[in-house]
């Protein structure tokens, strides 16, 4: 496929060469020389789908008369504008999510990556992920995405049971899913992730575990387990409310999760985050940025971002949300260069709450060095070391607080939400009681 622009062709070729080196040398732990405020991940939202799944309440639309050239131009413009506003000089990873971004043209993906590479430094070995649904991603199209610069796929498989797939409103069969997975592994060896849902109405533990074991015969090195969340406004929510379907059983869902994570550990997977499992070092570096409270820029209708607008003279990290509806978003991008609808400055306590809640989702937890980047004076020992309720959690083996930092145990990861009911109020109390810093701005 011919990519638009000489520089893009050079970047895509360099990216493919870097991927070949990575296969031969193994995954390397390169550390960027750029300071944290100059680095970010980039999320690109493609808002269109073939149809709306019965459980989904994401910001997505069925395209009617959509002009992709206009959408492509606006994605490029907004990416360039927000990179300049943020002052970001190095993009660590790019994630094309949705919606169904595998419905987009590979030329659109190439154009966005070209714009990013022209505006900031996009290393040749950066992780570039594309979400794909089996029915929208034949092997020839996947190869074109690879030529455009994509080097990792996240496949929305969801289930290997055709009855469940119909219940979820998916457009593919289990056979379609396994075929797409095999093609993806051939094109992107070691760089394919699959999603599997649990806790569906009437779903039973044994058959679900059978699906998981079957998937492990075909699975690459990354798998995500997601429990169904019944969202108001979705077709599945209405069916359960009307009694047409039984409500999901939370105890059965908890058993599926516990037995599923045990099976994955037995198969050599590391549970590096509450819902995510990897082996052979195939962690998602993009998602790791989220859990480490790194900066990320959200591009596209309804996308979310967290960054400090240094290029515009800002000194406080902001939570940003782009305009939801695609046509209105495009009008704003064409007029202002971006479609940011909401900007919320994050206070220091709010940021620490995010560091705590997100960091504890990982098996590494929060190291003392990482915490100090956000709060150099109030240490983890200061906040949690003397609290009786926290001590009880430590004694029960759910938490660990030591010279490395604060983290959940294997048992604690499964009940993180309940642990945060103790930890977040304790952080808030310690923050209120802290001694004000004598250093200006401290």
């Amino acid at each position: 496929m011919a990519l638009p622009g000489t520089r893009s062709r050079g970047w895509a070729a360099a990216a493919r060469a870097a991927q070949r080196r990575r296969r031969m040398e193994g995954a390397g732990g390169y550390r960027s020389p750029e300071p944290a405020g100059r680095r970010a991940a980039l999320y690109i939202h493609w808002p269109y789908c073939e149809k709306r799944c019965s459980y989904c309440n994401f910001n997505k639309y069925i395209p009617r008369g959509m002009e992709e050239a206009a959408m492509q131009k606006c994605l490029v413009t907004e990416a360039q504008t927000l990179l300049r506003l943020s002052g970001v000089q190095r993009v660590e990873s790019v994630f094309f999510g949705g919606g169904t971004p595998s419905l987009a043209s590979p030329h659109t993906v190439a154009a966005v990556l070209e714009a990013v590479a022209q505006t900031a430094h996009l290393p040749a070995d950066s992780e570039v992920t594309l979400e794909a649904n089996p029915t929208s991603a034949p092997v020839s199209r996947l190869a074109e995405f690879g030529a455009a610069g994509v080097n990792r796929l996240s496949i929305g498989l969801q289930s290997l049971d055709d009855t469940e797939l119909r219940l979820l409103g998916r457009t593919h069969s289990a056979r379609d899913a396994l075929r797409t997975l095999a093609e993806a592994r051939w094109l992107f060896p070691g760089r394919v992730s699959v999603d599997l849902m649990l806790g569906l109405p009437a779903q039973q533990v044994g058959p679900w575990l059978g699906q998981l074991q079957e998937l492990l015969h075909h699975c690459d090195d990354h798998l995500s387990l997601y429990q169904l969340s019944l969202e108001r406004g979705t077709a599945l929510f209405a069916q359960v409310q009307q009694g047409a379907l039984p409500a999901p059983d939370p105890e059965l869902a908890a058993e599926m999760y516990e037995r599923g994570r045990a099976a994955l550990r037995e198969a050599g997977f590391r549970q590096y985050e509450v819902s995510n499992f990897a082996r052979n070092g195939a962690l998602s570096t993009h998602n790791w940025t989220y859990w480490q409270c790194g900066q990320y820029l959200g591009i596209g209708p309804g996308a979310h971002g967290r960054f400090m607008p240094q290029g515009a003279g800002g000194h406080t990290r902001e939570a940003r949300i782009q305009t939801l509806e695609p046509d209105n978003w495009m009008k704003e991008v064409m007029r202002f260069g971006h479609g940011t609808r909401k900007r919320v400055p994050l206070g220091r306590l709010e940021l620490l709450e995010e560091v705590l809640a997100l960091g504890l989702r990982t098996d590494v937890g929060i190291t003392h060095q990482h915490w100090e980047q956000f709060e150099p004076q109030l240490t983890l020992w200061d906040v949690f070391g003397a609290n009786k309720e926290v001590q009880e959690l430590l004694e029960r083996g759910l938490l660990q607080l030591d010279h490395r930092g604060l983290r959940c145990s294997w048992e604690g990861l499964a009940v993180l939400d309940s642990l945060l009911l103790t930890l977040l109020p304790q952080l808030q109390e310690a923050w209120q009681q802290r001694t004000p810093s004598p250093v200006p701005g401290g």
Side-chain angles (χ1 to χ4, degrees):
M1 185 186 85
L3 300 181
T6 305
R7 183 167 179 174
S8 177
R9 283 196 295 270
W11 183 85
R16 290 193 294 274
Q19 190 172 2
R20 287 193 294 271
R21 286 196 304 273
R22 190 163 48 238
R23 290 175 199 162
M24 291 186 291
E25 300 169 3
Y30 178 73
R31 189 171 182 84
S32 169
E34 296 288 352
R38 298 295 183 180
R39 290 182 272 127
L42 198 66
Y43 173 79
I44 313 292
H45 188 75
W46 181 260
Y48 301 111
C49 283
E50 292 176 307
K51 61 170 291 189
R52 181 173 287 277
C53 297
S54 64
Y55 61 92
C56 180
N57 74 337
F58 290 169
N59 185 45
K60 52 179 63 175
Y61 303 83
I62 310 303
R64 292 182 175 85
M66 186 271 296
E67 294 184 12
E68 183 165 347
M71 173 61 71
Q72 178 190 122
K73 182 178 179 181
C74 287
L75 288 172
V76 164
T77 298
E78 185 165 76
Q80 292 172 324
T81 300
L82 293 188
L83 281 168
R84 293 186 185 114
L85 278 174
S86 65
V88 165
Q89 296 176 358
R90 179 187 175 96
V91 174
E92 304 276 69
S93 62
V94 183
F95 193 104
F96 290 88
T100 309
S102 51
L103 290 173
S105 163
H107 288 278
T108 291
V109 170
V112 172
L113 293 174
E114 176 191 11
V116 173
Q118 289 176 345
T119 311
H121 178 44
L122 180 62
D125 60 351
S126 295
E127 180 185 273
V128 180
T129 302
L130 180 92
E131 288 185 337
N133 282 345
T135 51
S136 64
V139 65
S140 59
R141 193 170 181 84
L142 292 180
E144 290 181 337
F145 282 123
V150 171
N151 56 33
R152 183 177 182 271
L153 286 180
S154 177
I155 300 176
L157 184 144
Q158 312 307 0
S159 173
L160 289 179
D161 181 285
D162 286 340
T163 300
E164 290 178 357
L165 289 169
R166 287 191 292 271
L167 174 70
L168 294 171
R170 306 296 288 175
T171 59
H172 67 270
S173 66
R175 184 177 179 181
D176 295 331
L178 292 177
R179 183 185 66 249
T180 300
L181 177 56
E183 293 168 348
R185 292 181 65 193
W186 178 69
L187 287 168
F188 303 94
R191 308 279 285 182
V192 178
S193 176
V194 293
D195 297 343
L196 185 66
M197 295 185 71
L198 59 89
L200 308 186
Q203 194 175 48
Q204 297 299 312
V205 176
W208 181 83
L209 282 172
Q211 288 187 48
L212 179 59
Q213 292 293 348
E214 169 68 12
L215 187 56
L216 289 177
H217 292 300
H218 306 274
C219 186
D220 215 313
D221 294 327
H222 193 284
L223 194 145
S224 301
L225 297 182
Y226 293 119
Q227 182 175 344
L228 172 69
S229 176
L230 280 180
E231 302 290 349
R232 187 176 298 276
T234 64
L236 203 56
F237 179 90
Q239 289 175 286
V240 171
Q241 287 291 101
Q242 294 162 7
L245 288 172
D249 186 328
E251 292 186 6
L252 284 181
E255 185 180 350
M256 288 177 203
Y257 176 72
E258 278 299 313
R259 294 181 65 179
R261 66 199 288 253
L264 286 166
R265 180 164 67 171
E266 179 70 20
F269 282 79
R270 167 188 166 192
Q271 185 179 9
Y272 72 99
E273 192 269 343
V274 170
S275 298
N276 288 273
F277 304 77
R279 58 184 172 191
N280 300 324
L283 285 70
S284 168
T285 58
H286 181 86
N287 288 337
W288 193 261
T289 296
Y290 296 156
W291 301 318
Q292 292 292 293
C293 263
Q295 292 195 125
Y296 59 97
L297 278 58
I299 310 300
H304 290 227
R306 292 279 197 284
F307 66 88
M308 184 184 298
Q310 296 184 73
H315 300 285
T316 302
R317 184 180 294 209
E318 295 178 350
R320 289 194 173 217
I321 303 176
Q322 308 309 98
T323 294
L324 291 174
E325 203 278 323
D327 289 343
N328 291 335
W329 171 81
M330 283 193 278
K331 290 175 184 176
E332 293 176 19
V333 172
M334 288 186 283
R335 184 176 179 186
F336 304 112
H338 64 89
T340 301
R341 177 55 59 94
K342 188 175 183 181
R343 298 169 55 185
V344 180
L346 296 174
R348 286 173 61 194
L349 176 57
E350 290 175 287
L351 190 52
L352 287 178
E353 289 170 342
E354 290 192 356
V355 172
L356 180 68
L358 293 173
L360 287 180
R361 291 185 65 88
T362 71
D363 61 345
V364 173
I366 308 158
T367 66
H368 293 293
Q369 293 82 0
H370 182 66
W371 180 266
E372 190 176 343
Q373 293 176 19
F374 296 90
E375 176 48 55
Q377 295 177 325
L378 193 65
T379 70
L380 288 171
W381 291 111
D382 294 334
V383 177
F384 302 111
N387 180 263
K388 290 184 179 180
E389 290 180 276
V390 175
Q391 286 298 319
E392 289 179 7
L393 297 176
L394 296 170
E395 291 169 6
R396 289 169 57 192
L398 298 175
L399 278 177
Q400 294 174 313
L401 176 61
D402 55 24
H403 65 283
R404 288 165 52 192
L406 179 68
R407 61 196 176 279
C408 292
S409 64
W410 166 264
E411 295 77 14
L413 270 182
V415 292
L416 173 59
D417 287 351
S418 65
L419 303 185
L420 290 174
L421 295 176
T422 296
L423 297 174
L424 284 170
Q426 178 55 30
L427 170 59
Q428 293 156 4
E429 182 179 342
W431 180 261
Q432 295 299 326
Q433 295 177 353
R434 77 194 188 286
T435 302
S437 168
V439 180

